[in-house]
Every structure is written in structure tokens, then in C-alpha cells.
Amino acid sequence: MPKMPGFSDEQKAADWFATHDTAPYMKEMEEAHEQIPVTRTHPTKKPVGLRIRSDYLEAVKQVAEKKGIPYQTLIQMWLVERLRQEAPELLKH
């Protein structure tokens, strides 16, 4: 079993953990018990009216059903994916 390296500072540890699989080191790691507060933010959303061909909408609904998600969520995922390709600098996250 490999031995986890020591780290001289938090940044070096963070860099190592970001690029390595920790599964082989699980037995030598301590279990953490501290509580970490999490604040969830919800971006504001606005409803949008969109006229779309009925056959396109039906196809989107079928794809969404196969994925087990609402069709509106699928449309939003596709829009964000395309925005990341076309204009990543305009996205705030």
C-alpha cells in the first residue's frame, strides 16, 4: 500500500489532492468530525416564453424522460452548455 506524502503547506496539499486519487490512502486518513457550514445560494430565475416547433418540444421531452429530468431542466442545461462554448466570459460561475 502506498504511503501518502507529507506537505509543507496547505497549497501543496491542495494541489496534490486535486491531481491524485485518494482511494489507495483511505486507511491511513483520519476521519474528520468538524462541521462545515454550507450556504446555498439560488440564482434568480425569470420565466421565458419560447415558441418552439411541437415536434422539437416532443423530442426534447423524450430525451429528458430518458434522462429522468424535467424537460425545462434539460433545455436549461443545453443552453448553459452552449453558452460555455460560445461566450464563457459572460457566465458568472
Side-chain angles (χ1 to χ4, degrees), residues 70-82:
Y71 76 93
Q72 298 97 331
T73 301
L74 179 63
I75 291 170
Q76 184 170 326
M77 289 169 50
W78 286 348
L79 285 171
V80 170
E81 181 180 307
R82 190 56 183 221

Side-chain angles (χ1 to χ4, degrees), residues 10-47:
E10 287 185 12
Q11 185 58 52
K12 288 182 180 166
D15 292 343
W16 187 88
F17 280 102
T19 59
H20 290 79
D21 179 10
T22 57
Y25 307 95
M26 294 305 283
K27 288 186 179 180
E28 66 178 284
M29 290 185 186
E30 293 179 27
E31 185 174 337
H33 296 284
E34 65 187 81
Q35 295 290 320
I36 300 172
V38 176
T39 304
R40 296 179 192 249
T41 59
H42 299 283
T44 58
K45 295 182 180 182
K46 293 184 179 183

